[in-house]
Every structure is written in structure tokens, then in C-alpha cells.
Amino acid sequence: MDSGEVRINALEPWPDTVEWRPVSHDLIWVELVRLAIWLVIMLGAMIAGWVLVGHWIFGAGLGLVLLFGLWRAIVIGRAVRAWGYAERERDLLVRHGLLVRRLSIVPYARMQFVDVTAGPLERSFDLATVQLHTAAAASDAKVPGLRPAEASRLRDRLTALGADRAEGL
């Protein structure tokens, strides 16, 4: 190995050599609201089952749902802070995950189209998601929690770079 070569550890998938851009921390609130909706539905079902049937299993389920909700609420902040993206010369890097880290590298030349979506909950927090589509469905990547202006800028940049790179194939 040359002294000028950089050794990359396959178990450390988030290279420090790129400038990572974080997603908006408002995504934490979006995820907490989604969790709250899920909890209301599950807790309602458990309480209804307990009242109607009276079996102890519904009480245990109620406790498990509450424990899961508490654990998920704690993890959401760290999970959102793990999201990031980096624009390089030939590809886009998208990282996320805490326990299982994932780094997606999408070459601009392989992109077929780029979506910008924002559901009602995202729109209420002024956020959008950029979704990249390639020929291989497994290689699609998304960047949630972007401000609409940044999502539009990224979409336009990726589309322009994708068209430029595809011409050279």
C-alpha cells in the first residue's frame, strides 16, 4: 500500500472525507407526531380489548405498547440526526441508521428520475422528501426532512447532473 493511499474501513461506512449535510431537525417532530398517531390507535385497541374481553393479555399489551412508544420517542432524535447527504462530483451519498448503518451511493449517470414529495404532516412542518430512482429498485435512495427550497435545489441539481452524465455513456 502506498503511503498516499487512504485506507477505508468497510465497517465505518460514513467517510469523514466528505462534507455531510444534515436534514432538518423538524423531522424529529414529524416522526414524533407519527409515533403519537400510531400509539393512540394501538392504545385504543388495547384498552377496548381489555374493557370488552377483560383478559390480562390486553393489559400486558398495553404495557408493551407504552414501553415501545417511550423507547421509540427516545431513539427518534438520534435517528434523525443520523440522516445526511453529500453531493460529490460523480455521485450522491445518503447515510442513515443507528444500529444498522446504511450508506447509499447513487451515481448521477444511473438516476432515471427524481421525486420531491411532501405529505400533509411534512407540509405542516415545511418539509419535503427527495426520492432518487434508478433502474435497480433496490438502489433507490431518499433524503427526508429537507426544506422545500433545498429539496427543489437538490432535485434540479441532481436532474441536471444526471442528464449531463448520462450523455457521456
Side-chain angles (χ1 to χ4, degrees):
M1 180 168 138
D2 273 345
S3 61
E5 285 184 37
V6 176
R7 183 172 281 252
I8 297 174
N9 181 356
L11 298 177
E12 187 59 44
W14 299 350
D16 293 330
T17 57
V18 295
E19 182 182 334
W20 291 104
R21 292 179 158 196
V23 299
S24 172
H25 285 94
D26 284 344
L27 185 58
I28 294 171
W29 292 108
V30 171
E31 294 300 322
L32 286 172
V33 170
R34 284 183 184 148
L35 175 63
I37 292 169
W38 181 86
L39 283 174
V40 166
I41 292 168
M42 293 303 293
L43 291 174
M46 291 295 147
I47 290 170
W50 202 5
V51 168
L52 294 174
V53 178
H55 198 271
W56 65 270
I57 196 79
F58 289 103
L62 186 66
L64 288 174
V65 168
L66 286 171
L67 279 175
F68 173 78
L70 178 63
W71 171 79
R72 184 70 184 127
I74 292 168
V75 171
I76 282 174
R78 291 192 62 214
V80 167
R81 284 189 281 281
W83 276 97
Y85 66 101
E87 301 170 63
R88 297 196 306 183
E89 184 179 330
R90 296 182 179 190
D91 49 30
L92 178 77
L93 281 66
V94 180
R95 71 175 189 189
H96 64 94
L98 291 173
L99 185 59
V100 177
R101 295 180 180 183
R102 180 171 181 167
L103 174 66
S104 298
I105 302 171
V106 183
Y108 298 134
R110 300 291 182 208
M111 285 188 289
Q112 292 187 326
F113 65 96
V114 181
D115 275 338
V116 176
T117 60
L121 188 55
E122 285 179 306
R123 283 194 311 270
S124 68
F125 286 91
D126 196 33
L127 296 175
T129 297
V130 173
Q131 175 84 38
L132 295 87
H133 298 275
T134 63
S139 66
D140 291 357
K142 71 176 182 175
V143 183
L146 298 177
R147 296 289 174 208
E150 174 61 10
S152 295
R153 184 205 64 82
L154 185 59
R155 177 202 60 213
D156 294 345
R157 178 165 161 42
L158 295 176
T159 302
L161 287 169
D164 289 347
R165 302 286 189 248
E167 289 174 3
L169 292 178

